[in-house]
Amino acid sequence: MKNQYFKRVCYNLRQDPVVTIVSILGTALSIFLIMIVVLMQEIQILPFSPESNRNRILHGDCISYTNANNHDDHQDLSCGMLSEATAKKLYTSLKTPEAVSIFQYPPDQTLISVYGVAPFSADLKQTDDSFWRIFDFNFLSGKAYNKSDFNSAQKKAVISEQIARRLFGSINVVGRKITINHSPYHICGVVREVSNLAESAYSQIWIPYSTTDITDDTWGAPELSGSFSTAILAYKKKDFPKIKAEFNTRSAAFNAKLKAENLRIIDQENPRTQFEKSISPYSNGKPERNKFYRQEAFILFILLLIPAINLSSMTQSRLHRYMTEIGIRRAFGCHRSQILKDIIIENLILSTIAGFVGLLLCLLFAYFGSDFIFTKNWIEDMGRPTVSISVLLNPILFLLAFLFCFVLNLMSSIIPAWQASHTQIINAINGKIH
Amino acid sequence: MSMISLSGIHKTYRTKEVETQALENVNLEIEKGEFLSVMGPSGCGKSTLLNIMGLIDTPTSGKLSINDYVIEEMKDKELATFRNKMLGFIFQSFHLIQSLNVIDNVEMPLTYRSLSASERHRLAKEALEKVGMSHRLHHRPNELSGGQCQRVAIARAIVGNPEIILADEPTGNLDSKMGNEVMNILHRLNKEEGRTVVMVTHNEEQAKKTSRTVRFFDGRQIE
């Protein structure tokens, strides 16, 4: 029976190649569009190196605060990245996580130079030593700076492969000197290029923030805001509620001290999961999950509905030629629900073929046109949003593509299939749908 | 005991402008093991009658029972199972499924039963042997002659071992030699296997060889 579905699909393809191919291409383009929309969101959540631990990471990016006497959270609201002191008080003292890192966010463009090479700008991120424990960089040579280096403000730098080649024409440059913002650093490691889609980990050069005066760069009443973000690595995802609860206790204690300054921190559901961060990056509001789901559902529904209407008429026209067979099958004992199932399965085979074509187009487009679809305003002048093949071959994307094929198939075939299965048998044998 | 019983059967086709009486008060009893011919001019309602007996069309009014089952009381799934087990159809234009080869066409009625693939294959081969087509298992319908197609259609009709075979002008599209071969098979199924056969035909010679002939004119049974 299963074989017969494939035989009929092949037969239809031979009998009516134009309609079948147009139908497959129509579905493929729809799946392509849908998967681009899905990929733009998924790329912010899917784990990939050096953010392979995304499903175990919580982010403490911003702090929002207002006057202690304001009952309305939105009145006189201030919001900004964290100062080092705030990050330490709220996050690094947490006991539940495996590691907590404080790092500059976003990276700065900084002038770098070595003797004999014209100075140029590169993206610089200042971090602590835990940063290297949370993010799994691929070291091509050397290693990261450690706790002792950080604490003693050793002027060490990790640079990307591209920067190493541009400066020295090689990646074996550990121990060589580099001038970063007019200050000499020793290169301690070279890492494989990082896509700027790995927003937390991305940079081209990484140095200990203890070697600069970035911690003095604060603002807001008593130095609440600064240039830092935090990443909190849990032992396991199940620890998230415990970490959030621990954070809330810290936050309450912090608020109690802030009262003296007539300030209070607003609960913005920090720290946030990768998904929560992706739907409300650096906003001074809570992650609006329901709004996000509604928007995504609406966009996907429209993207499915329009092709479904077109494909439905194609399915109808294909079924007209297939009506006699439906009639014959029913005359020999096939019941309506079986006919309905047969039509939907045959259509699903076509939709799945089309889905693979659409997904392939989407992956090729994402790989070669990543600048076009993934660049955000704030990172457009930083690095390239490169996407690795391993990210694109994620099973979740294949599952989602199949799910959308299935839904599109149901939307486009259910009405014609229902009509065909409910046609009087003798009319069906005579090739009519009534 | 009648195998098929039609009582007061009417069939009316209605369009917006016209109402056509295809069958008018047909009362007919067909015994088990009978070979009945239905004759009459084109458009007299013979095929409509056969379709109603085959449960692929519904009468406007009247009562139909087959093997003591009252058909109007049956639901879609019951009707489908009934057609599958009790009835085998042979059409003038064969109506083989073009996308399937010979063996798959013959297996088709068995796919609606709980049978293993090997059992279906065995039964289909047996049915094809009975009609002398076991050497064409993997040919497609468009690779066969008309006579061969009709023999495959007969194999499909008998593969599920139905008690009733309904044949709508089974030789209408065949030359006389092929037509005789097909008629011989139908007679053999009737005499040797005891199947009830109802055949619509225009051919007096073929009708004479059957056990009874009923004639229709303008939707009415006249003989």
Side-chain angles (χ1 to χ4, degrees):
Chain A
M1 194 67 198
K2 286 172 201 155
N3 251 346
Q4 292 191 8
Y5 294 129
F6 287 100
K7 281 180 184 170
R8 198 153 45 245
V9 168
C10 294
Y11 179 78
N12 280 337
L13 191 58
R14 277 198 307 272
Q15 287 299 302
D16 207 343
V18 176
V19 171
T20 312
I21 288 171
V22 167
S23 168
I24 288 176
L25 283 181
T27 311
L29 287 175
S30 309
I31 295 295
F32 163 71
L33 277 179
I34 290 164
M35 288 311 294
I36 288 286
V37 172
V38 169
L39 191 60
M40 284 167 76
Q41 170 58 27
E42 284 297 308
I43 207 77
Q44 299 179 69
I45 301 167
L46 290 174
F48 58 91
S49 177
E51 295 189 358
S52 305
N53 294 323
R54 275 180 169 181
N55 53 4
R56 286 201 291 140
I57 290 178
L58 288 170
H59 300 270
D61 286 330
C62 293
I63 184 165
S64 303
Y65 52 93
T66 185
N67 289 337
N69 300 326
N70 283 344
H71 296 296
D72 178 4
D73 281 353
H74 296 98
Q75 195 182 340
D76 302 327
L77 178 74
S78 295
C79 176
M81 303 303 292
L82 308 170
S83 68
E84 187 207 21
T86 308
K88 279 187 168 172
K89 278 175 199 155
L90 288 175
Y91 293 107
T92 49
S93 54
L94 294 174
K95 301 278 184 251
T96 316
E98 182 181 332
V100 179
S101 171
I102 301 175
F103 54 91
Q104 179 192 5
Y105 189 89
D108 268 340
Q109 288 232 311
T110 306
L111 206 61
I112 56 169
S113 62
V114 293
Y115 180 75
V117 177
F120 61 90
S121 286
D123 295 329
L124 172 77
K125 179 169 273 180
Q126 303 186 39
T127 78
D128 61 10
D129 53 288
S130 296
F131 182 81
W132 304 103
R133 200 168 147 195
I134 292 174
F135 301 109
D136 59 328
F137 286 84
N138 185 351
F139 275 83
L140 301 173
S141 65
K143 57 184 182 180
Y145 39 85
N146 58 27
K147 193 174 184 65
S148 136
D149 296 330
F150 179 80
N151 288 342
S152 57
Q154 292 290 312
K155 291 204 166 184
K156 290 187 174 182
V158 173
I159 63 173
S160 74
E161 179 183 4
Q162 191 192 33
I163 296 291
R165 290 194 192 282
R166 188 163 170 189
L167 289 173
F168 305 103
S170 161
I171 57 167
N172 298 314
V173 294
V174 171
R176 302 279 292 268
K177 254 189 192 172
I178 176 174
T179 304
I180 300 170
N181 210 11
H182 312 292
S183 189
Y185 279 77
H186 280 99
I187 295 166
C188 61
V190 178
V191 292
R192 195 175 287 287
E193 214 60 32
V194 177
S195 167
N196 66 11
L197 293 172
E199 288 183 15
S200 298
Y202 168 77
S203 191
Q204 292 174 306
I205 300 168
W206 297 261
I207 58 170
Y209 71 74
S210 55
T211 60
T212 69
D213 55 4
I214 190 172
T215 51
D216 300 336
D217 190 9
T218 62
W219 63 91
E223 303 175 345
L224 283 174
S225 293
S227 309
F228 291 104
S229 177
T230 59
I232 302 142
L233 180 67
Y235 284 104
K236 46 193 182 297
K237 197 177 175 179
K238 273 198 280 186
D239 291 345
F240 282 179
K242 205 173 163 189
I243 292 172
K244 287 197 177 195
E246 198 185 345
F247 168 80
N248 287 339
T249 311
R250 295 285 144 93
S251 182
F254 194 59
N255 255 340
K257 285 182 190 166
L258 277 181
K259 223 170 185 178
E261 309 285 342
N262 195 28
L263 290 174
R264 67 179 173 92
I265 301 175
I266 297 163
D267 173 23
Q268 304 285 38
E269 297 186 14
N270 280 311
R272 297 178 182 187
T273 62
Q274 189 69 34
F275 168 69
E276 289 165 344
K277 183 185 168 186
S278 75
I279 61 171
S280 54
Y282 324 111
S283 69
N284 50 4
K286 293 179 182 179
E288 294 181 282
R289 294 176 203 83
N290 290 339
K291 186 179 166 191
F292 169 79
Y293 290 134
R294 277 199 305 273
Q295 283 174 341
E296 284 283 296
F298 179 74
I299 292 168
L300 292 176
F301 177 72
I302 294 295
L303 285 175
L304 283 166
L305 182 67
I306 294 165
I309 290 168
N310 289 324
L311 290 170
S312 181
S313 58
M314 284 198 165
T315 307
Q316 180 102 359
S317 111
R318 217 172 44 234
L319 282 178
H320 262 291
R321 282 187 302 281
Y322 176 46
M323 279 314 291
T324 302
E325 180 179 335
I326 289 174
I328 295 300
R329 284 181 183 276
R330 289 194 62 205
F332 281 97
C334 183
H335 46 82
R336 283 178 185 148
S337 54
Q338 180 70 40
I339 292 287
L340 201 67
K341 187 179 132 196
D342 286 354
I343 296 170
I344 289 172
I345 289 179
E346 282 160 34
N347 230 36
L348 184 61
I349 292 172
L350 282 177
S351 303
T352 307
I353 294 168
F356 273 109
V357 175
L359 183 60
L360 185 69
L361 283 177
C362 164
L363 299 182
L364 287 173
F365 191 67
Y367 188 73
F368 292 107
S370 55
D371 285 340
F372 183 70
I373 58 172
F374 296 125
T375 300
K376 294 178 181 175
N377 288 340
W378 70 268
I379 55 172
E380 64 190 352
D381 52 354
M382 291 185 190
R384 279 199 67 222
T386 50
V387 186
S388 73
I389 295 282
S390 61
V391 178
L392 295 177
L393 296 182
N394 193 302
I396 289 171
L397 292 177
F398 284 84
L399 276 176
L400 285 171
F402 183 75
L403 175 75
F404 289 121
C405 284
F406 184 71
V407 175
L408 184 61
N409 166 59
L410 274 187
M411 288 170 77
S412 65
S413 66
I414 196 88
I415 293 172
W418 178 265
Q419 278 185 323
S421 66
H422 281 71
T423 298
Q424 177 100 305
I425 298 177
I426 189 62
N427 287 342
I429 290 174
N430 293 327
K432 299 175 192 161
I433 298 188
H434 289 302
Chain B
M1 186 187 77
S2 294
M3 176 58 90
I4 304 172
S5 169
L6 296 108
S7 161
I9 294 289
H10 287 260
K11 178 70 183 180
T12 309
Y13 292 107
R14 288 189 183 91
T15 61
K16 278 177 188 167
E17 297 93 23
V18 193
E19 192 174 286
T20 311
Q21 193 79 8
L23 288 175
E24 204 176 323
N25 194 27
V26 176
N27 296 286
L28 187 62
E29 303 284 327
I30 302 167
E31 302 301 317
K32 185 175 166 63
E34 197 174 353
F35 194 146
L36 180 82
S37 298
V38 183
M39 292 197 75
S42 294
C44 71
K46 317 182 287 292
S47 293
T48 304
L49 180 73
L50 199 77
N51 294 337
I52 288 172
M53 282 190 234
L55 317 182
I56 57 177
D57 201 353
T58 47
T60 310
S61 65
K63 189 179 160 191
L64 166 67
S65 63
I66 300 175
N67 207 17
D68 280 349
Y69 286 92
V70 181
I71 301 308
E72 63 191 5
E73 291 169 1
M74 294 167 92
K75 291 181 179 155
D76 178 63
K77 275 199 176 177
E78 291 169 323
L79 282 172
T81 308
F82 194 84
R83 277 193 294 269
N84 183 255
K85 296 205 167 146
M86 285 291 290
L87 306 171
F89 294 90
I90 302 165
F91 301 95
Q92 182 181 1
S93 48
F94 327 128
H95 284 321
L96 295 176
I97 296 172
Q98 297 298 316
S99 59
L100 303 179
N101 61 21
V102 165
I103 188 83
D104 287 342
N105 262 290
V106 178
E107 272 189 45
M108 185 265 285
L110 303 177
T111 56
Y112 307 117
R113 297 185 187 182
S114 310
L115 291 175
S116 67
S118 59
E119 182 67 358
R120 287 200 309 259
H121 194 77
R122 185 184 66 76
L123 291 170
K125 264 180 94 172
E126 271 179 23
L128 284 163
E129 274 163 18
K130 281 185 191 170
V131 297
M133 284 298 292
S134 56
H135 59 303
R136 290 278 193 270
L137 299 187
H138 301 292
H139 284 68
R140 290 197 181 271
N142 60 6
E143 296 164 345
L144 304 176
S145 69
Q148 286 173 325
C149 280
Q150 198 57 298
R151 282 194 278 165
V152 174
I154 294 172
R156 180 179 63 183
I158 63 171
V159 71
N161 203 22
E163 294 204 33
I164 301 164
I165 292 172
L166 302 166
D168 190 357
E169 299 191 48
T171 61
N173 279 355
L174 306 177
D175 61 34
S176 59
K177 185 171 170 255
M178 289 289 181
N180 287 336
E181 278 181 24
V182 166
M183 285 309 297
N184 288 340
I185 295 169
L186 289 177
H187 278 289
R188 208 170 64 229
L189 291 169
N190 173 246
K191 285 190 178 127
E192 293 173 13
E193 299 186 10
R195 295 179 207 274
T196 307
V197 181
V198 181
M199 177 179 72
V200 167
T201 183
H202 283 290
N203 189 316
E204 286 285 354
E205 289 304 311
Q206 288 174 358
K208 275 180 194 166
K209 291 179 186 164
T210 62
S211 47
R212 182 157 62 115
T213 301
V214 290
R215 291 177 196 273
F216 279 76
F217 188 79
D218 276 354
R220 286 188 299 271
Q221 188 184 340
I222 54 168
E223 188 182 321

